[in-house]
Amino acid sequence: MGIVTRFAPSPTGYLHIGGARTALFNWLYARANGGKFLLRIEDTDRERSTDEATRAIFESMRWLGLDWDGEANSQFARRDRHAEVAHILLNTNHAYKCYATKEEIDAFRASPEGKYSSFQSPWRDAGPATTPDAPFVIRLKAPREGILSIDDAVQGKVTWKNAEFDDMILLRSDGTPTYTLAVIVDDHDMGVNTIIRGDEHLINAGRQSLIYNALGWDIPTFAHIPLIYGDDGKKLSKRHGATGAQEFREMGYLAEAMRNYLARLGWSHGDDELFTTEQAIEWFDLKGVNKAPSRFDFKKLDNVSKYHIENVSDDVLIAGLQDYIGSQDREPLTDGELVKLKAVLPIVRERSKKLPDLLDKSRFVLGARPFAPDENEAKHLISVSNGILKRLTPLLANVTTWTKEELETLFRDFAETEGVGLGKIAQPMKVVLSGTTKSPSTFDMMVAIGKDETLARINDAAAKM
RNA sequence: GGUCCCUUCGUCUAUCGGUUAGGACAUCUGGUUUUCAACCAGGAAAGAGGGGUUCAACUCCCCUAGGGACUACCA
């Protein structure tokens, strides 16, 4: 049977970056094995689930390129089936009706005994004759003796004493299923055989195995991956910069870069650091997943991001750029702008850590004359006297082969004649051409826009002096 | 408190009993440079502690310490 994995977030908020990584691992594993990757929304908690959160999760998944097979499932929609299974358990004596009230249970927990032992329902072995006509929950009749172990694909063999598990609630008093029941029923019905999820679910693998056993169902392969922390080792929070997948999109990271960085966080393939998604799919396996939690490092993310901005195809870059612009609530680049941008992509994609950096560098083609200098950049124009510009302009006008090499030679020679460093001329020229010094090389820009446009921009600047 | 999990440079990690413990990011030094920056060369930097097992341990076992998760009619 093929591999079937799933990502099962609860729609109580945006997609956390840790959840995004969990989704990525499941996706990678399914794709690596030619299997299926399912998405299921765990919305059985009606109080906290919202449609808005569901939409946010879909959007982040799409942005990250984590496509799921088939329709996304709503767990809540399958509540009848969950109840049905609870009743099967009831009929086979693997579960029982518990009439203990919340107050009784709370009182037990508050008692001295409740401090060290879990609640044991008095209804576990009550005969049908004694059952009152009152609200009840259905609890699993968990074994009280023996041990249980699972063979986790990441954590290895993990063992518990059965006595550690309490008789967990399967069906609430209002008839709705709990998470514990719902997941295993859904996973079973949907054929999920590999469950990659956060470390915090490790104990649930034990609890759920009990139910799988009671039902006589095959226990899936579990892989519990460690959590992601902030750079200080604490739970990743806003304080560390960002936690929502969407925020990374808004900061201008390419989805390709996020996949690379996230995959590398807790998983490794030898010394490979920078790779494409195709390579990740080819290499991914559970053996490479680390057992220890890792910390999120924005500096390294930037480095990975820079690599992908430089190496991704033009189409992917442009699409990423448009997506980024959209995330800023700005109008997408027009076809005309795109034509100009594509022509200079090779020189603007270099040395850009994030998408906004690339956009800054593209101002000399995306912006329009006259290019007013940024406040902080105006000083470069002051430093170059009108005289220098006047002397340089005719030289430029006489250039017949408008190439980077020619121009660079001309600038160097001119700088020498003027008795100044190249920077004193090239630097102001950048401001003349783009209004800022955050631009590609002066000569690259001049070649890109051509001789006439270059001269025109010099005129604009000269007119103001 | 109880149960379970984790522990290699600052960070992400390689190592699957025998290595000068490797790489990447960050950092430091020198060089280069028309900017944000990039690039080149070089440096510093790690097996939590203690016991075992073994000819040999980062690697296997135990204990301690530290960190984390769970301990809901949440997921």
Side-chain angles (χ1 to χ4, degrees), chain A residues 16-66:
Chain A
H16 186 92
I17 199 68
R21 188 190 58 153
T22 303
L24 175 68
F25 279 23
N26 276 287
W27 181 82
L28 243 22
Y29 192 65
R31 296 291 174 258
N33 291 285
K36 280 190 161 57
F37 170 65
L38 275 26
L39 178 61
R40 188 175 65 228
I41 304 300
E42 312 249 299
D43 50 359
T44 49
D45 183 347
R46 305 313 291 168
E47 301 282 304
R48 303 196 301 154
S49 300
T50 66
D51 290 343
E52 193 190 345
T54 302
R55 278 194 296 275
I57 289 167
F58 285 168
E59 195 179 346
S60 292
M61 293 284 287
R62 287 197 194 97
W63 173 62
L64 284 166
L66 305 181

Short mmCIF file of all heavy atoms in Angstrom, two decimals, chain A residues 16-66:
data_model
loop_
_atom_site.label_atom_id
_atom_site.label_comp_id
_atom_site.label_asym_id
_atom_site.label_seq_id
_atom_site.Cartn_x
_atom_site.Cartn_y
_atom_site.Cartn_z
N HIS A 16 0.82 28.56 12.03
CA HIS A 16 2.09 28.82 12.72
C HIS A 16 3.23 28.24 11.89
O HIS A 16 3.06 27.24 11.20
CB HIS A 16 2.04 28.16 14.09
CG HIS A 16 3.23 28.47 14.95
ND1 HIS A 16 3.23 29.54 15.84
CD2 HIS A 16 4.44 27.88 15.07
CE1 HIS A 16 4.41 29.57 16.45
NE2 HIS A 16 5.15 28.58 16.00
N ILE A 17 4.38 28.87 11.98
CA ILE A 17 5.50 28.41 11.17
C ILE A 17 5.92 26.98 11.55
O ILE A 17 6.39 26.21 10.71
CB ILE A 17 6.70 29.41 11.29
CG1 ILE A 17 7.66 29.21 10.15
CG2 ILE A 17 7.39 29.31 12.63
CD1 ILE A 17 7.11 29.63 8.81
N GLY A 18 5.71 26.63 12.81
CA GLY A 18 5.99 25.26 13.25
C GLY A 18 5.03 24.28 12.58
O GLY A 18 5.42 23.19 12.16
N GLY A 19 3.78 24.69 12.49
CA GLY A 19 2.78 23.86 11.82
C GLY A 19 3.11 23.75 10.34
O GLY A 19 2.94 22.69 9.72
N ALA A 20 3.61 24.83 9.79
CA ALA A 20 3.99 24.84 8.38
C ALA A 20 5.08 23.81 8.13
O ALA A 20 5.07 23.09 7.13
CB ALA A 20 4.47 26.22 7.96
N ARG A 21 6.00 23.71 9.08
CA ARG A 21 7.07 22.73 8.90
C ARG A 21 6.52 21.31 9.00
O ARG A 21 6.92 20.41 8.26
CB ARG A 21 8.18 22.92 9.92
CG ARG A 21 9.36 22.03 9.61
CD ARG A 21 10.40 22.01 10.71
NE ARG A 21 9.82 21.57 11.97
CZ ARG A 21 10.50 20.99 12.93
NH1 ARG A 21 11.78 20.80 12.81
NH2 ARG A 21 9.89 20.64 14.04
N THR A 22 5.60 21.10 9.94
CA THR A 22 4.98 19.78 10.06
C THR A 22 4.29 19.42 8.75
O THR A 22 4.41 18.29 8.26
CB THR A 22 3.95 19.79 11.21
OG1 THR A 22 4.61 20.18 12.41
CG2 THR A 22 3.33 18.42 11.37
N ALA A 23 3.58 20.39 8.20
CA ALA A 23 2.89 20.16 6.92
C ALA A 23 3.91 19.83 5.84
O ALA A 23 3.73 18.90 5.05
CB ALA A 23 2.09 21.41 6.54
N LEU A 24 5.00 20.58 5.84
CA LEU A 24 6.05 20.37 4.84
C LEU A 24 6.62 18.95 4.92
O LEU A 24 6.80 18.28 3.90
CB LEU A 24 7.18 21.39 5.04
CG LEU A 24 8.41 21.22 4.16
CD1 LEU A 24 8.08 21.52 2.69
CD2 LEU A 24 9.55 22.14 4.62
N PHE A 25 6.90 18.51 6.13
CA PHE A 25 7.46 17.16 6.29
C PHE A 25 6.49 16.10 5.77
O PHE A 25 6.90 15.15 5.10
CB PHE A 25 7.79 16.89 7.76
CG PHE A 25 9.11 17.49 8.22
CD1 PHE A 25 9.67 18.56 7.53
CD2 PHE A 25 9.79 16.99 9.32
CE1 PHE A 25 10.88 19.12 7.94
CE2 PHE A 25 11.00 17.54 9.74
CZ PHE A 25 11.54 18.60 9.05
N ASN A 26 5.22 16.26 6.09
CA ASN A 26 4.23 15.30 5.62
C ASN A 26 4.14 15.32 4.10
O ASN A 26 4.05 14.28 3.45
CB ASN A 26 2.85 15.64 6.21
CG ASN A 26 2.66 15.05 7.59
OD1 ASN A 26 2.48 13.85 7.74
ND2 ASN A 26 2.72 15.89 8.61
N TRP A 27 4.16 16.53 3.57
CA TRP A 27 4.07 16.71 2.12
C TRP A 27 5.28 16.09 1.43
O TRP A 27 5.18 15.34 0.47
CB TRP A 27 3.99 18.22 1.84
CG TRP A 27 3.86 18.60 0.40
CD1 TRP A 27 2.72 18.63 -0.35
CD2 TRP A 27 4.92 19.07 -0.46
NE1 TRP A 27 3.00 19.08 -1.62
CE2 TRP A 27 4.33 19.36 -1.72
CE3 TRP A 27 6.29 19.27 -0.28
CZ2 TRP A 27 5.07 19.83 -2.80
CZ3 TRP A 27 7.03 19.74 -1.36
CH2 TRP A 27 6.43 20.02 -2.59
N LEU A 28 6.46 16.42 1.97
CA LEU A 28 7.71 15.91 1.41
C LEU A 28 7.74 14.37 1.44
O LEU A 28 8.13 13.73 0.47
CB LEU A 28 8.87 16.46 2.26
CG LEU A 28 9.94 17.39 1.69
CD1 LEU A 28 9.52 18.13 0.44
CD2 LEU A 28 10.44 18.32 2.77
N TYR A 29 7.30 13.84 2.55
CA TYR A 29 7.35 12.39 2.70
C TYR A 29 6.40 11.70 1.72
O TYR A 29 6.75 10.69 1.11
CB TYR A 29 6.99 11.99 4.14
CG TYR A 29 7.28 10.54 4.44
CD1 TYR A 29 8.60 10.07 4.43
CD2 TYR A 29 6.25 9.64 4.70
CE1 TYR A 29 8.88 8.74 4.69
CE2 TYR A 29 6.52 8.30 4.96
CZ TYR A 29 7.84 7.86 4.95
OH TYR A 29 8.11 6.53 5.21
N ALA A 30 5.22 12.27 1.57
CA ALA A 30 4.25 11.70 0.63
C ALA A 30 4.78 11.82 -0.80
O ALA A 30 4.77 10.84 -1.56
CB ALA A 30 2.91 12.43 0.74
N ARG A 31 5.29 13.00 -1.14
CA ARG A 31 5.79 13.20 -2.50
C ARG A 31 7.03 12.35 -2.76
O ARG A 31 7.23 11.87 -3.87
CB ARG A 31 6.12 14.68 -2.72
CG ARG A 31 4.89 15.61 -2.64
CD ARG A 31 3.93 15.42 -3.81
NE ARG A 31 2.70 16.19 -3.66
CZ ARG A 31 1.53 15.68 -3.28
NH1 ARG A 31 1.42 14.38 -3.03
NH2 ARG A 31 0.45 16.44 -3.16
N ALA A 32 7.84 12.19 -1.75
CA ALA A 32 9.06 11.39 -1.91
C ALA A 32 8.73 9.93 -2.17
O ALA A 32 9.49 9.22 -2.82
CB ALA A 32 9.94 11.50 -0.65
N ASN A 33 7.58 9.49 -1.68
CA ASN A 33 7.24 8.09 -1.82
C ASN A 33 6.10 7.84 -2.80
O ASN A 33 5.52 6.75 -2.82
CB ASN A 33 6.86 7.51 -0.45
CG ASN A 33 8.08 7.42 0.45
OD1 ASN A 33 8.93 6.54 0.28
ND2 ASN A 33 8.21 8.35 1.39
N GLY A 34 5.79 8.85 -3.57
CA GLY A 34 4.71 8.69 -4.53
C GLY A 34 3.37 8.43 -3.87
O GLY A 34 2.49 7.78 -4.42
N GLY A 35 3.25 8.92 -2.63
CA GLY A 35 2.01 8.68 -1.89
C GLY A 35 1.07 9.86 -1.94
O GLY A 35 1.18 10.73 -2.80
N LYS A 36 0.14 9.87 -1.01
CA LYS A 36 -0.84 10.94 -0.96
C LYS A 36 -0.64 11.80 0.27
O LYS A 36 -0.23 11.32 1.32
CB LYS A 36 -2.25 10.34 -0.90
CG LYS A 36 -2.80 9.88 -2.24
CD LYS A 36 -4.28 9.55 -2.04
CE LYS A 36 -5.05 9.52 -3.33
NZ LYS A 36 -4.56 8.60 -4.34
N PHE A 37 -0.96 13.07 0.09
CA PHE A 37 -0.87 14.02 1.21
C PHE A 37 -2.25 14.63 1.40
O PHE A 37 -2.78 15.28 0.50
CB PHE A 37 0.16 15.10 0.89
CG PHE A 37 0.15 16.26 1.87
CD1 PHE A 37 0.51 16.07 3.19
CD2 PHE A 37 -0.20 17.53 1.45
CE1 PHE A 37 0.50 17.13 4.09
CE2 PHE A 37 -0.21 18.60 2.33
CZ PHE A 37 0.15 18.40 3.66
N LEU A 38 -2.85 14.38 2.54
CA LEU A 38 -4.22 14.86 2.81
C LEU A 38 -4.21 16.05 3.76
O LEU A 38 -3.30 16.21 4.57
CB LEU A 38 -5.02 13.73 3.48
CG LEU A 38 -5.72 12.66 2.63
CD1 LEU A 38 -5.07 12.45 1.28
CD2 LEU A 38 -5.84 11.34 3.39
N LEU A 39 -5.23 16.85 3.63
CA LEU A 39 -5.39 17.98 4.55
C LEU A 39 -6.73 17.84 5.25
O LEU A 39 -7.77 17.64 4.61
CB LEU A 39 -5.35 19.31 3.78
CG LEU A 39 -5.56 20.58 4.63
CD1 LEU A 39 -4.47 20.72 5.67
CD2 LEU A 39 -5.59 21.82 3.73
N ARG A 40 -6.68 17.87 6.56
CA ARG A 40 -7.92 17.73 7.32
C ARG A 40 -8.00 18.82 8.37
O ARG A 40 -7.05 19.04 9.13
CB ARG A 40 -7.95 16.36 7.99
CG ARG A 40 -9.29 16.06 8.64
CD ARG A 40 -9.33 14.66 9.20
NE ARG A 40 -8.40 14.47 10.27
CZ ARG A 40 -7.56 13.44 10.36
NH1 ARG A 40 -7.53 12.52 9.43
NH2 ARG A 40 -6.76 13.35 11.40
N ILE A 41 -9.10 19.50 8.40
CA ILE A 41 -9.28 20.57 9.37
C ILE A 41 -9.93 20.00 10.62
O ILE A 41 -11.05 19.49 10.57
CB ILE A 41 -10.16 21.70 8.76
CG1 ILE A 41 -9.54 22.22 7.46
CG2 ILE A 41 -10.30 22.83 9.77
CD1 ILE A 41 -8.15 22.80 7.60
N GLU A 42 -9.22 20.08 11.72
CA GLU A 42 -9.72 19.50 12.97
C GLU A 42 -10.55 20.52 13.72
O GLU A 42 -10.07 21.18 14.64
CB GLU A 42 -8.54 19.04 13.82
CG GLU A 42 -7.54 18.23 13.03
CD GLU A 42 -7.49 16.77 13.44
OE1 GLU A 42 -7.17 16.51 14.60
OE2 GLU A 42 -7.76 15.89 12.59
N ASP A 43 -11.79 20.59 13.28
CA ASP A 43 -12.68 21.62 13.80
C ASP A 43 -13.76 21.08 14.75
O ASP A 43 -14.88 21.57 14.77
CB ASP A 43 -13.35 22.33 12.62
CG ASP A 43 -13.95 21.34 11.64
OD1 ASP A 43 -13.84 20.12 11.88
OD2 ASP A 43 -14.53 21.76 10.64
N THR A 44 -13.41 20.07 15.50
CA THR A 44 -14.42 19.52 16.42
C THR A 44 -14.66 20.42 17.62
O THR A 44 -15.65 20.30 18.31
CB THR A 44 -14.03 18.12 16.92
OG1 THR A 44 -12.69 18.16 17.38
CG2 THR A 44 -14.17 17.09 15.82
N ASP A 45 -13.73 21.32 17.87
CA ASP A 45 -13.94 22.28 18.96
C ASP A 45 -14.70 23.47 18.36
O ASP A 45 -14.11 24.38 17.78
CB ASP A 45 -12.59 22.75 19.52
CG ASP A 45 -12.77 23.70 20.70
OD1 ASP A 45 -13.90 24.18 20.91
OD2 ASP A 45 -11.78 23.95 21.41
N ARG A 46 -16.00 23.43 18.52
CA ARG A 46 -16.84 24.45 17.88
C ARG A 46 -16.65 25.84 18.46
O ARG A 46 -16.92 26.84 17.81
CB ARG A 46 -18.32 24.05 17.95
CG ARG A 46 -18.62 22.69 17.37
CD ARG A 46 -17.97 22.46 16.02
NE ARG A 46 -18.53 23.28 14.94
CZ ARG A 46 -17.96 23.40 13.76
NH1 ARG A 46 -16.82 22.80 13.50
NH2 ARG A 46 -18.53 24.14 12.84
N GLU A 47 -16.23 25.87 19.70
CA GLU A 47 -16.05 27.15 20.37
C GLU A 47 -14.92 27.95 19.74
O GLU A 47 -15.03 29.16 19.56
CB GLU A 47 -15.69 26.92 21.85
CG GLU A 47 -16.71 26.16 22.64
CD GLU A 47 -17.87 27.05 23.03
OE1 GLU A 47 -17.61 28.08 23.66
OE2 GLU A 47 -19.02 26.72 22.66
N ARG A 48 -13.86 27.28 19.42
CA ARG A 48 -12.66 27.98 18.98
C ARG A 48 -12.40 27.95 17.48
O ARG A 48 -11.54 28.69 16.99
CB ARG A 48 -11.45 27.42 19.73
CG ARG A 48 -11.59 27.53 21.25
CD ARG A 48 -10.28 27.35 21.94
NE ARG A 48 -9.66 26.06 21.65
CZ ARG A 48 -8.36 25.82 21.70
NH1 ARG A 48 -7.53 26.80 22.03
NH2 ARG A 48 -7.88 24.64 21.44
N SER A 49 -13.09 27.09 16.77
CA SER A 49 -12.85 27.00 15.33
C SER A 49 -13.55 28.12 14.57
O SER A 49 -14.69 28.44 14.86
CB SER A 49 -13.36 25.66 14.81
OG SER A 49 -12.69 24.59 15.44
N THR A 50 -12.84 28.69 13.61
CA THR A 50 -13.47 29.72 12.79
C THR A 50 -13.19 29.48 11.31
O THR A 50 -12.16 28.90 10.95
CB THR A 50 -12.93 31.13 13.12
OG1 THR A 50 -11.55 31.20 12.75
CG2 THR A 50 -13.07 31.44 14.60
N ASP A 51 -14.13 29.92 10.48
CA ASP A 51 -13.95 29.79 9.04
C ASP A 51 -12.79 30.65 8.56
O ASP A 51 -12.08 30.32 7.62
CB ASP A 51 -15.23 30.22 8.31
CG ASP A 51 -16.35 29.21 8.53
OD1 ASP A 51 -16.04 28.08 8.94
OD2 ASP A 51 -17.52 29.56 8.29
N GLU A 52 -12.64 31.75 9.23
CA GLU A 52 -11.58 32.67 8.86
C GLU A 52 -10.21 32.00 9.02
O GLU A 52 -9.34 32.11 8.17
CB GLU A 52 -11.66 33.91 9.77
CG GLU A 52 -10.82 35.05 9.30
CD GLU A 52 -10.73 36.14 10.35
OE1 GLU A 52 -11.54 36.12 11.30
OE2 GLU A 52 -9.84 36.99 10.22
N ALA A 53 -10.06 31.28 10.13
CA ALA A 53 -8.80 30.58 10.36
C ALA A 53 -8.60 29.49 9.31
O ALA A 53 -7.48 29.28 8.83
CB ALA A 53 -8.79 29.97 11.76
N THR A 54 -9.67 28.82 8.95
CA THR A 54 -9.57 27.79 7.93
C THR A 54 -9.07 28.39 6.62
O THR A 54 -8.17 27.85 5.98
CB THR A 54 -10.94 27.12 7.70
OG1 THR A 54 -11.41 26.58 8.94
CG2 THR A 54 -10.84 26.01 6.67
N ARG A 55 -9.66 29.53 6.26
CA ARG A 55 -9.23 30.19 5.03
C ARG A 55 -7.76 30.60 5.09
O ARG A 55 -7.01 30.47 4.14
CB ARG A 55 -10.09 31.42 4.75
CG ARG A 55 -11.42 31.08 4.10
CD ARG A 55 -12.10 32.35 3.55
NE ARG A 55 -12.46 33.28 4.60
CZ ARG A 55 -13.58 33.23 5.31
NH1 ARG A 55 -14.45 32.27 5.09
NH2 ARG A 55 -13.84 34.12 6.23
N ALA A 56 -7.37 31.09 6.27
CA ALA A 56 -5.97 31.52 6.44
C ALA A 56 -5.02 30.34 6.28
O ALA A 56 -3.95 30.46 5.69
CB ALA A 56 -5.79 32.16 7.81
N ILE A 57 -5.42 29.20 6.78
CA ILE A 57 -4.58 28.01 6.67
C ILE A 57 -4.46 27.59 5.20
O ILE A 57 -3.36 27.32 4.71
CB ILE A 57 -5.15 26.86 7.52
CG1 ILE A 57 -4.94 27.18 9.01
CG2 ILE A 57 -4.47 25.54 7.17
CD1 ILE A 57 -5.72 26.29 9.96
N PHE A 58 -5.59 27.57 4.51
CA PHE A 58 -5.55 27.23 3.08
C PHE A 58 -4.61 28.17 2.33
O PHE A 58 -3.80 27.75 1.52
CB PHE A 58 -6.95 27.39 2.46
CG PHE A 58 -7.90 26.29 2.83
CD1 PHE A 58 -9.25 26.41 2.56
CD2 PHE A 58 -7.44 25.11 3.43
CE1 PHE A 58 -10.15 25.38 2.89
CE2 PHE A 58 -8.33 24.09 3.77
CZ PHE A 58 -9.69 24.23 3.50
N GLU A 59 -4.75 29.45 2.63
CA GLU A 59 -3.96 30.44 1.91
C GLU A 59 -2.47 30.24 2.15
O GLU A 59 -1.66 30.31 1.22
CB GLU A 59 -4.38 31.84 2.33
CG GLU A 59 -3.86 32.89 1.36
CD GLU A 59 -4.28 34.30 1.73
OE1 GLU A 59 -5.19 34.44 2.58
OE2 GLU A 59 -3.69 35.24 1.19
N SER A 60 -2.11 29.98 3.40
CA SER A 60 -0.70 29.78 3.70
C SER A 60 -0.17 28.51 3.05
O SER A 60 0.96 28.46 2.57
CB SER A 60 -0.49 29.70 5.21
OG SER A 60 -0.73 30.96 5.79
N MET A 61 -0.98 27.48 3.06
CA MET A 61 -0.56 26.22 2.44
C MET A 61 -0.32 26.43 0.94
O MET A 61 0.65 25.94 0.38
CB MET A 61 -1.65 25.15 2.63
CG MET A 61 -1.86 24.71 4.06
SD MET A 61 -0.58 23.60 4.66
CE MET A 61 -1.02 22.10 3.77
N ARG A 62 -1.22 27.17 0.33
CA ARG A 62 -1.08 27.43 -1.10
C ARG A 62 0.17 28.25 -1.37
O ARG A 62 0.91 28.01 -2.32
CB ARG A 62 -2.31 28.15 -1.64
CG ARG A 62 -3.51 27.24 -1.74
CD ARG A 62 -4.59 27.81 -2.65
NE ARG A 62 -5.84 27.09 -2.45
CZ ARG A 62 -6.83 27.51 -1.65
NH1 ARG A 62 -6.72 28.65 -1.01
NH2 ARG A 62 -7.91 26.78 -1.49
N TRP A 63 0.36 29.24 -0.53
CA TRP A 63 1.55 30.08 -0.72
C TRP A 63 2.81 29.23 -0.64
O TRP A 63 3.73 29.37 -1.44
CB TRP A 63 1.61 31.19 0.33
CG TRP A 63 2.91 31.95 0.25
CD1 TRP A 63 3.35 32.67 -0.82
CD2 TRP A 63 3.93 32.01 1.23
NE1 TRP A 63 4.60 33.18 -0.55
CE2 TRP A 63 4.98 32.79 0.70
CE3 TRP A 63 4.06 31.49 2.53
CZ2 TRP A 63 6.15 33.06 1.42
CZ3 TRP A 63 5.22 31.76 3.24
CH2 TRP A 63 6.25 32.54 2.68
N LEU A 64 2.84 28.35 0.34
CA LEU A 64 4.02 27.51 0.51
C LEU A 64 4.14 26.43 -0.55
O LEU A 64 5.13 25.71 -0.62
CB LEU A 64 4.00 26.87 1.90
CG LEU A 64 4.37 27.81 3.04
CD1 LEU A 64 3.99 27.20 4.39
CD2 LEU A 64 5.87 28.11 3.01
N GLY A 65 3.12 26.33 -1.38
CA GLY A 65 3.16 25.33 -2.45
C GLY A 65 2.92 23.92 -1.96
O GLY A 65 3.32 22.96 -2.61
N LEU A 66 2.30 23.79 -0.79
CA LEU A 66 2.03 22.46 -0.27
C LEU A 66 0.63 22.03 -0.70
O LEU A 66 -0.34 22.19 0.02
CB LEU A 66 2.14 22.48 1.27
CG LEU A 66 3.46 23.02 1.81
CD1 LEU A 66 3.48 22.99 3.32
CD2 LEU A 66 4.63 22.22 1.25
#
